[in-house]
Amino acid sequence: GIGMRPLEGLLPPSAVDAMAATIVARGGAVSVRSLPDGSTRPYELNISYIDGLVPADADDATRAAAMVAAHGILLAMAGLPGIYIHSLLGSRSDHAGMAATGRNRSINREKLDVNAICDALDDPATLRHRVFDGIARLLRARASEPALHPDAAQRVIDAGPALFVIERRGADGRRLVAAINVTDTAQSLTLGAPDGWRDILAGEVVPGPDIELPRFAVRWLIDQSTST
């Protein structure tokens, strides 16, 4: 489940309730806890992560792009990331499993058939392939980039509600800016760097200062003036 207790004191109850309602609308469930006054509050959202990110009627391309974008945030941050196997494999919510057990958490604990999984991962047209390939690309880039070391310095840049932007700096001063478009529409970000940027995910130079981000795009940008 997606724990809600860490949000206490950060988001007002109305925002938590709105999030819970969104998850229910997308086919999930909400587990609640009882308070001393007899009321209840959400403590866990039960849904596959990929289904929680987009509306229920989203197509697979949108679903996969949003899932990779979410992991683009996770994998750009300091610390050691943990990725649930069903997230890595792009699993959808298992409503039949939840109904069979009567437990909300079963929605994200589908029993997997290894042959079916391998077949799906081998087919570029499948949702599982798109998600796995996208997250694997992020993992490879993170593992090879010193500025994304778990202990590298981190600073969040406020770029408005449509973009998640974070700056990382390696021990050698190498600067990386991770910019993730969290919306289904194109966005633009202005970033200054004397020698421009290099996107380590796309393998291309981005001149700047205006960086274009298509819907749910993930850009991990190296400041070339700090690159050796």
Side-chain angles (χ1 to χ4, degrees):
I2 302 170
M4 302 295 283
R5 295 296 303 273
L7 293 179
E8 294 175 6
L10 296 177
L11 290 182
S14 59
V16 174
D17 290 340
M19 189 182 302
T22 297
I23 292 302
V24 172
R26 293 176 178 180
V30 179
S31 298
V32 300
R33 64 187 180 93
S34 298
L35 300 181
D37 63 3
S39 63
T40 61
R41 296 299 303 153
Y43 82 88
E44 188 176 81
L45 306 180
N46 302 109
I47 194 169
S48 72
Y49 193 30
I50 195 168
D51 283 344
L53 293 175
V54 294
D57 61 354
D59 58 32
D60 279 356
T62 299
R63 203 175 298 277
M67 188 66 161
V68 174
H71 285 78
I73 294 173
L74 167 70
L75 294 172
M77 297 183 73
L80 295 174
I83 301 177
Y84 188 42
I85 184 64
H86 280 298
S87 293
L88 182 64
L89 296 175
S91 296
R92 304 289 305 277
S93 295
D94 183 14
H95 295 103
M98 183 172 66
T101 65
R103 295 191 293 268
N104 286 349
R105 285 186 171 183
S106 296
I107 198 170
N108 203 19
R109 293 180 174 177
E110 178 189 3
K111 302 296 189 294
L112 299 175
D113 178 270
V114 65
N115 293 320
I117 292 296
C118 288
D119 288 344
L121 293 178
D122 286 339
D123 183 355
T126 67
L127 177 63
R128 289 194 187 278
H129 175 95
R130 292 175 179 177
V131 171
F132 183 89
D133 186 68
I135 295 177
R137 179 169 53 92
L138 295 172
L139 286 167
R140 286 191 293 268
R142 177 186 167 103
S144 63
E145 175 49 56
L148 292 175
H149 186 280
D151 294 331
Q154 171 175 293
R155 179 174 71 94
V156 175
I157 299 172
D158 185 357
L163 297 171
F164 180 91
V165 184
I166 191 166
E167 179 188 85
R168 304 290 307 279
R169 281 190 181 268
D172 60 355
R174 184 176 170 92
R175 178 189 181 210
L176 179 144
V177 173
I180 296 91
N181 181 355
V182 298
T183 75
D184 195 21
T185 57
Q187 304 291 331
S188 180
L189 173 67
T190 300
L191 288 174
D195 299 325
W197 302 91
R198 180 171 57 84
D199 186 337
I200 65 172
L201 294 172
E204 63 183 20
V205 172
V206 182
D210 296 324
I211 311 297
E212 299 302 319
L213 293 100
R215 65 172 194 153
F216 298 122
V218 179
R219 285 194 177 274
W220 286 354
L221 302 163
I222 291 292
D223 179 346
Q224 297 208 107
S225 64
T226 67
S227 179
T228 57

